[in-house]
Amino acid sequence: MNDVIDFIHTNRDRYVEELKQFLAIPSISAMPEHKDDVRRCAEWAAAEMARVGLENVRVIDTAGHPLVYADWLHAEGAPTALFYGHYDVQPVDPLDLWKTPPFEAAVRDGDIYARGACDDKGQVFVHFKAIEAHMKKTGRLPINMKVILEGEEEVGSENLGPYVREHAGELAADMVLISDTEMFDRGVPSLCYGLRGLAYMQIDLRGTKGDLHSGQYGGAVANPANVMGHLIAQLKDKSGTIKIPGFYDDVRELREEERAEFKRLPFDEKAVKKHLGAPRFAGERSYSLLERMWARPTLDVNGLLSGWTGEGAKTVIPAVAMAKVSMRLVPNQHPDKIAELFEAYVKKIAPKTVELKVTRLHGAFPWMTDFDNVYVQAAGRALEKGFGKRPVFTREGGSIPVVADFQAALNVPVVLFGFGLPDDNLHAPNEKFNLDNF
Ligand code: BES
Ligand code: ZN
């Protein structure tokens, strides 16, 4: 084992250079114009998986972006881990806020900056290099490994869920290992035992066939931008309570022990507020901040579009307005049921003066696991060895749609073994990954 660790230390600079190549491919799954880049990235990952010594490497076509699979299954009698990660990344806008270009990775002060540095290419690369070090120094892996990567995590994992269900035999393992979450804080190794789910909706309103002069027709027809504002205002009250009837019916309250555990975590509210640049925190006052971020459902507008947004003024009544609204879900909320409740409520409150269209964009189940299984315990020991500290147990407010699919289809524990930091700027400009964590 010491040989393996020495190998890792001596090769650190090469690893960073190779990671830069992975980060240079703009594999933005949400943008059709990057479709070929996403495939190129899958092929790059496949070649890398072969280079580090994995076998049976395949790029698997789906109705969307490809999956990549590889394995190494010669550790007779040892358990099998299925490692999952994603090689797709989020869009990069607003581009002008990046200090260095998002697809030209740059190292500054011990961090590597690029889109995907943390979410999730850097964290996937951690495992590739661990595999390589074992293979180079010992010619084998201590356990059996199957690796599956996808290129659609950031757009809802629509094709991986069905693939996992249809190929449960081929993917069978004793545990699933994922590094796509955060550590609680710098130097605080963490194991995540819960993720929120998601129901993502789009509202489209049309008032008239085309834009109108607001002086000529103002007062006679509905303005979809005003109507949208009014609709959104009715989704939540001032104290943060969501007003969709039935929304909270299936919410499982936190157990008292869990609430006590949350309180024990070293959470510095003032520092977080400063880091975020928020004048004040908002939301449900009767729940702590961590509980609000990890264990309470939310409803947020993710995007709004209507009317004149260029410089200066234009007197116009816009013909259309659009809003993207997503809800983070907690156990035991069901994404389809929440989407239905949302749609019914919006239809009920929308005035007849506009045409309304509600579209479901995607969903994910919330997920939670016990942590008293041997694999979580083993992951905890590994973190303790690496960081010299026992890990804390955390939940996360984000979603990884396929986790619930793995648990349901393979019926084995999922270990979320994440190395991101809360200030790694996921989905934002200047995403980074800490090289010590790497
Ligand atoms: N790595 C994140 C999930 C995450 C975010 C975990 C923050 C812990 C903290 C993942 O890549 C992600 O962004 N997932 C999406 C899924 C969605 C598009 C269905 C998310 O949470 O928005
Ligand atoms: Zn992400």
Side-chain angles (χ1 to χ4, degrees):
M1 191 65 186
N2 286 341
D3 279 3
V4 173
I5 291 174
D6 286 345
F7 181 87
I8 290 170
H9 287 301
T10 357
N11 284 277
R12 181 177 159 141
D13 293 347
R14 173 174 63 86
Y15 289 174
V16 173
E17 288 314 306
E18 290 172 3
L19 175 57
K20 283 182 181 171
Q21 295 174 25
F22 196 14
L23 293 171
I25 309 171
S27 48
I28 306 173
S29 50
M31 298 172 76
E33 57 270 44
H34 283 287
K35 190 165 186 279
D36 293 344
D37 294 320
V38 177
R39 173 167 294 274
R40 191 154 58 82
C41 195
E43 279 158 9
W44 192 94
E48 172 69 11
M49 282 148 86
R51 271 195 297 274
V52 301
L54 292 167
E55 300 171 348
N56 302 312
V57 183
R58 282 184 291 144
V59 173
I60 303 165
D61 288 326
T62 71
H65 300 303
L67 304 169
V68 190
Y69 175 88
D71 59 30
W72 189 91
L73 303 171
H74 308 294
E76 232 172 274
T80 301
L82 173 65
F83 173 75
Y84 157 84
H86 64 94
Y87 67 83
D88 65 321
V89 300
Q90 285 278 333
V92 295
D93 56 288
L95 189 59
D96 54 325
L97 294 184
W98 286 79
K99 289 202 188 105
T100 46
F103 297 109
E104 292 170 31
V107 173
R108 291 194 290 277
D109 298 331
D111 294 309
I112 185 162
Y113 286 83
R115 172 57 85 232
C118 173
D119 185 9
D120 181 32
K121 288 175 178 173
Q123 298 203 59
V124 165
F125 216 61
V126 165
H127 293 266
F128 286 175
K129 294 294 111 174
I131 291 169
E132 183 191 78
H134 277 282
M135 294 300 289
K136 281 261 157 59
K137 292 318 285 184
T138 68
R140 60 191 309 280
L141 298 180
I143 58 168
N144 299 296
M145 288 214 57
K146 298 179 179 179
V147 177
I148 187 137
L149 301 187
E150 73 162 318
E152 297 185 305
E153 196 274 347
E154 299 292 9
V155 289
S157 297
E158 251 152 58
N159 293 294
L160 180 57
Y163 186 88
V164 169
R165 285 189 286 280
E166 282 157 30
H167 297 80
E170 173 193 314
L171 298 175
D174 298 294
M175 55 119 24
V176 175
L177 180 63
I178 302 178
S179 291
D180 192 22
T181 47
E182 301 173 331
M183 293 168 36
F184 187 72
D185 204 349
R186 208 168 275 267
V188 184
S190 314
L191 285 166
C192 172
Y193 68 92
L195 294 166
R196 288 196 287 198
L198 193 69
Y200 202 128
M201 315 294 291
Q202 177 168 328
I203 306 174
D204 285 280
L205 301 180
R206 175 174 287 280
T208 51
K209 258 198 320 219
D211 286 358
L212 298 174
H213 189 294
S214 67
Q216 218 178 353
Y217 292 104
V221 292
N223 179 330
N226 291 43
V227 174
M228 188 65 90
H230 194 223
L231 280 185
I232 290 170
Q234 293 172 78
L235 295 175
K236 235 168 151 176
D237 71 15
K238 271 200 185 132
S239 61
T241 307
I242 294 154
K243 289 165 65 181
I244 300 169
F247 183 85
Y248 292 98
D249 283 0
D250 302 321
V251 170
R252 198 203 296 166
E253 286 290 318
L254 217 55
R255 283 176 290 111
E256 270 319 310
E257 310 91 84
E258 234 184 325
R259 198 165 277 139
E261 283 297 328
F262 282 17
K263 280 213 183 94
R264 270 197 282 281
L265 289 168
F267 188 61
D268 183 345
E269 289 198 9
K270 274 208 187 114
V272 173
K273 193 163 74 180
K274 187 161 171 238
H275 167 68
L276 299 178
R280 288 204 181 184
F281 285 116
E284 299 173 296
R285 279 170 171 249
S286 45
Y287 297 90
S288 72
L289 275 176
L290 279 183
E291 188 163 353
R292 267 139 63 191
M293 294 193 294
W294 291 352
R296 292 291 297 166
T298 64
L299 183 152
D300 280 294
V301 175
N302 298 119
L304 272 178
L305 198 64
S306 188
W308 176 246
T309 57
E311 234 175 272
K314 181 184 183 199
T315 46
V316 64
I317 296 182
V320 294
M322 186 277 282
K324 307 228 182 217
V325 180
S326 72
M327 293 158 280
R328 294 282 169 179
L329 312 179
V330 299
N332 299 321
Q333 288 177 299
H334 191 299
D336 294 343
K337 181 177 167 192
I338 293 296
E340 269 163 38
L341 293 175
F342 178 95
E343 195 170 336
Y345 179 65
V346 171
K347 284 192 168 147
K348 191 175 141 233
I349 62 175
K352 300 281 175 283
T353 50
V354 292
E355 274 172 32
L356 164 72
K357 192 167 122 208
V358 180
T359 314
R360 296 182 197 184
L361 296 183
H362 54 64
F365 278 90
W367 169 83
M368 220 158 98
T369 186
D370 297 328
F371 36 89
D372 59 354
N373 66 72
V374 290
Y375 299 105
V376 174
Q377 303 297 329
R381 286 195 302 278
L383 287 175
E384 188 172 351
K385 228 180 205 167
F387 287 85
K389 250 188 236 171
R390 290 177 75 146
V392 296
F393 285 92
T394 61
R395 286 169 67 163
E396 291 278 10
S399 313
I400 305 175
V402 76
V403 170
D405 294 311
F406 280 135
Q407 188 136 342
L410 308 179
N411 193 26
V412 293
V414 180
V415 176
L416 295 188
F417 197 58
F419 300 106
L421 290 176
D423 65 352
D424 274 347
N425 301 321
L426 306 188
H427 297 197
N430 306 308
E431 178 178 347
K432 66 175 176 66
F433 191 33
N434 181 260
L435 287 175
D436 285 340
N437 288 353
F438 174 54

